[in-house]
């Protein structure tokens, strides 16, 4: 609560300094903007930024990391009664300290004897640390704000380059955002690599990448490796790419042809109706698609294949008929088909925007040479829009590879190395979720396998991106 009050006070104070700076420069310039280097708003923004930005940053850092600092200080030199507890018991004890320090009823644990005395002492210490951190951050922010307004207002005069200074702040913000994005990516990759190294120390990497059996439920001791093939990832990637290919077979032609119709053939009314309806599909939660696949599409496919199998029984395709009669609701075809429906708006919307960005002069020139509209689309528009269309397809592929709910509900959980779309399969993302479901400790190959799968999937996706970029660069050169 104190943090939000401090931030609100900073906003109000910064607004006051904004008005004060504008008034000061206007008085100094005689009320004539032509006597100023920049517009009056830049002078106000310069002072407001120096007043509020550093102080707000300090308050936000205290709000984000103050709790961790408090926890670290509480755990320094724990009482003797607490030091004798196990790690899990110590965690429960300090959870009780935080709950009681913040007047929460999250824990009803009652400690007696030395632990009760330690709980009371640590609770009082936690309250003191919280007050110290919060009020210390607010006091330091107030000093920063007052120093900022004092130093900034002294520089305000008509010839001061306020616009350049404000734009430097904006450029700095952009740089910080870029660095944050890069560091986030580096952190994700580093965490995957670190935990994957631990996994590959227990399971040989060749068994993981080339193994054809996936069974992470095997009991393992700390002094033995998994049985050969127990952590083979080939069936998972086979299922992932099988479902992805089926989904793209459905989404790519329908989405691309929809985009061509909307951009080249549809009238204004048709486009205004069809495009929003297509984009509604992008807002449907994936769990809804999963229910649709499990309760509607799966039974329809099973009934159709059973009927087809009954017609084949007794004939030359008797074996195929008997197999079709055993098909169940969960299969790769169901998951891929429903996932393809989900991907249609991704392909259609992006392809439509790319096709509309093709210069009209290319179309006019083709039509002027006697080409029909369909020939213009095939020979001029689509080649010119190919890089963007490839990007749309790549986005759809990435979305298909990372999908979890539809596969879980429509394809099953059985790891099987097959290219038969009527078989039950599973994917990498489904297995990652399965391995990490519930309270897990990352101390065994079973749980660490999730990081190995994630790192491998990251590498495969990165390779697909590189290939797609090379294709885009090759064809873009013809239309620069």
């Amino acid at each position: 609560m104190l943090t939000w009050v401090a931030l609100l006070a900073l906003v109000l104070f910064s607004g006051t300094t904004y008005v004060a700076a504008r008034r000061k420069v206007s008085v100094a310039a005689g009320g004539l903007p032509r006597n100023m280097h920049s517009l009056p708003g830049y002078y106000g923004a310069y002072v407001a930024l120096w007043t509020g930005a550093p102080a707000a940053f300090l308050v936000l850092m205290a709000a984000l990391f103050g709790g961790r600092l408090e926890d670290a200080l509480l755990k320094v030199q724990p009482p003797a009664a607490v030091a004798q507890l196990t790690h899990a018991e110590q965690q429960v004890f300090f959870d009780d300290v935080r709950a009681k320090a913040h007047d929460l009823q999250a824990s009803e644990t009652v400690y007696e004897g030395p632990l009760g005395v330690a709980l009371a002492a640590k609770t009082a210490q936690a309250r003191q640390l919280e007050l110290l951190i919060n009020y210390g951050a607010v006091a330091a922010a107030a000093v920063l704000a007052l120093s900022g307004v004092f130093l900034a207002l002294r520089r305000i005069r008509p010839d001061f380059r306020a616009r350049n200074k404000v734009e430097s702040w904006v450029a700095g913000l952009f740089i910080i955002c870029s660095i944050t994005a890069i560091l986030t990516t580096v952190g994700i990759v580093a965490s995957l690599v670190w935990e994957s190294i631990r996994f590959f120390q227990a399971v040989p990497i060749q068994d993981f990448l080339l193994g054809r059996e996936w069974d992470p439920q095997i009991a393992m001791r700390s002094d033995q490796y998994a049985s050969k093939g127990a952590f083979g990832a080939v069936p998972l990637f086979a299922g992932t790419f099988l479902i992805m290919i089926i989904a793209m077979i459905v989404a790519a032609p329908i989405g691309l042809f929809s985009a061509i119709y909307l951009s080249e053939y549809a009238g204004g009314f048709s486009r205004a109706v069809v495009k929003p309806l297509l984009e509604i599909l992008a807002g449907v939660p994936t769990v809804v698609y999963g229910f649709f696949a499990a309760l509607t599409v799966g039974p329809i496919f099973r009934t159709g294949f059973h009927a087809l199998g009954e017609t084949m029984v007794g004939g030359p395709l008797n074996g195929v008929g008997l197999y079709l009669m055993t098909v169940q609701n969960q299969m790769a075809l169901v998951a891929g088909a429903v996932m393809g429906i989900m991907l249609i708006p991704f392909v259609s919307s992006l392809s439509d925007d790319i096709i509309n960005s093709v210069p009209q002069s290319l179309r006019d020139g083709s039509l002027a040479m006697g080409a029909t509209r369909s020939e213009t689309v095939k020979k001029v528009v689509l080649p010119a829009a190919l890089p963007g269309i490839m990007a749309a397809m790549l986005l759809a592929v990435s979305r298909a590879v990372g999908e979890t709910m539809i596969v879980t509900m429509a394809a099953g959980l059985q790891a099987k190395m097959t290219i038969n779309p009527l078989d039950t399969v599973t994917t990498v993302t489904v297995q990652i979720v399965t391995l990490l479901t519930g309270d897990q400790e990352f101390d065994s190959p079973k749980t660490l396998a999730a990081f190995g799968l994630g790192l491998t999937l990251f590498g495969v996706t990165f390779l697909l991106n590189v290939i797609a970029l090379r294709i885009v660069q090759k064809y873009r050169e013809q239309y620069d």
Side-chain angles (χ1 to χ4, degrees), residues 243 246-247 293 297 329 331-340 406-408 410-412 425:
I243 293 177
I246 296 173
V297 179
N329 289 352
M331 64 182 92
L333 182 61
V334 174
V338 176
M339 192 182 298
I406 295 177
V407 181
T408 303
V425 296

Side-chain angles (χ1 to χ4, degrees), residues 377-434:
V377 171
K378 182 173 66 175
K379 298 296 183 64
V380 177
V381 176
L382 289 183
L386 182 61
I389 294 175
M390 286 297 300
M393 297 299 176
L394 176 62
L395 177 62
V397 168
S398 300
R399 185 72 175 83
V401 170
E403 177 53 41
T404 303
M405 287 304 302
I406 295 177
V407 181
T408 303
M409 303 177 70
L413 297 174
Q414 184 177 0
K416 186 182 297 184
M417 190 172 175
T418 179
I419 59 173
N420 184 0
L422 304 184
D423 279 345
T424 298
V425 296
T426 189
T427 63
V428 173
T429 54
V430 171
Q431 288 302 310
I432 291 175
V433 172
T434 303

Side-chain angles (χ1 to χ4, degrees), residues 201-223:
Q201 288 175 346
V203 178
I205 188 171
Q206 63 271 17
D207 289 350
F208 176 75
L209 295 178
L210 304 178
R212 299 183 179 182
E213 181 184 354
W214 177 259
D215 187 8
Q217 303 299 331
I218 296 176
M220 299 177 62
R221 297 194 308 270
S222 59
D223 60 342

Side-chain angles (χ1 to χ4, degrees), residues 2 47 49-50 109 168 189 198 204 213 218 300 324 382 415 439:
L2 182 62
V47 176
L49 284 171
W50 273 108
T109 305
S168 298
V189 175
R198 295 178 57 196
E213 181 184 354
I218 296 176
I300 290 176
L324 292 178
L382 289 183
D439 296 332

Side-chain angles (χ1 to χ4, degrees), residues 8-31:
L8 179 60
L10 280 175
V11 171
L12 296 176
F13 186 55
S14 298
T16 303
T17 59
Y18 175 87
V19 175
R22 289 194 54 158
R23 182 173 301 176
K24 179 180 178 180
V25 73
S26 297
V27 171

Side-chain angles (χ1 to χ4, degrees), residues 437-455:
T437 300
D439 296 332
Q440 302 285 353
E441 293 186 4
F442 302 113
D443 56 357
S444 68
K446 176 184 175 182
T447 50
L448 292 175
F451 295 96
L453 291 173
L455 181 62

Side-chain angles (χ1 to χ4, degrees), residues 58-74 102 126 129-130 133-134 137:
L58 179 61
V59 173
L60 289 175
M61 289 299 100
L64 292 175
F65 302 105
R68 296 185 180 181
L69 178 60
E70 179 185 342
D71 290 344
L73 293 175
L74 283 174
H102 296 86
L129 287 174
E130 181 183 9
I133 293 173
N134 290 338

Side-chain angles (χ1 to χ4, degrees), residues 12 132 146 165 170-171 342 365 376:
L12 296 176
L132 179 62
L146 294 175
K165 299 298 182 180
V170 176
M342 181 193 70
T376 299

